[in-house]
Amino acid sequence: MTPTPRALDIPTVLRALASPRRLQILEWLRDPVAHFPPQRDGDLVDDGVCVIFIADKLGVAQPTATAHLQELARAGLVTPKRLGQWTFYKRDEAAIRTFKRQLRDEL
């Protein structure tokens, strides 16, 4: 039996989604192979996308991309994974489904 993902804080998620850049990141992470080049370390699908690739694609400095990704992680929409000196991010599909359900049920 699959455990039910925990409820997300709707205002926190909505704040994270209020940024066009964060929405863009979530869209890219839905299909990382289509949007990012192969990585030397970490698998795009299994491990996530390195913050450096996300920063490059956004056209921002790495600390700016990290701030966006940390906001998405605090909201529960992405999960970070540390490999060596880099952090890789991928969507948390179960949490996103839970949020969609919550939003539908509460509105």
Side-chain angles (χ1 to χ4, degrees):
M1 186 144 107
T2 305
T4 304
R6 66 174 177 77
L8 299 177
D9 181 63
I10 290 177
T12 301
V13 175
L14 291 176
R15 275 192 300 276
L17 296 175
S19 164
R21 286 196 168 167
R22 290 192 286 269
L23 285 171
Q24 182 66 70
I25 291 167
L26 285 174
E27 182 182 327
W28 290 334
L29 292 179
R30 184 181 312 156
D31 186 2
V33 174
H35 294 285
F36 295 97
Q39 302 174 135
R40 185 173 55 110
D41 298 315
D43 181 78
L44 287 168
V45 175
D46 294 335
D47 299 313
V49 179
C50 181
V51 67
I52 294 299
F53 285 110
I54 295 169
D56 287 346
K57 193 159 179 85
L58 277 176
V60 300
Q62 182 266 327
T64 302
T66 296
H68 284 302
L69 289 156
Q70 287 174 340
E71 185 72 24
L72 290 169
R74 276 190 295 277
L77 301 173
V78 299
T79 56
K81 180 177 186 177
R82 193 84 174 154
L83 292 174
Q85 69 182 51
W86 303 110
T87 304
F88 295 75
Y89 289 87
K90 69 180 192 176
R91 286 169 53 116
D92 186 332
E93 297 298 343
I96 291 170
R97 280 191 302 278
T98 297
F99 173 70
K100 288 177 180 179
R101 234 182 339 270
Q102 277 180 260
L103 194 59
R104 183 192 66 230
D105 293 348
E106 292 189 27
L107 289 181

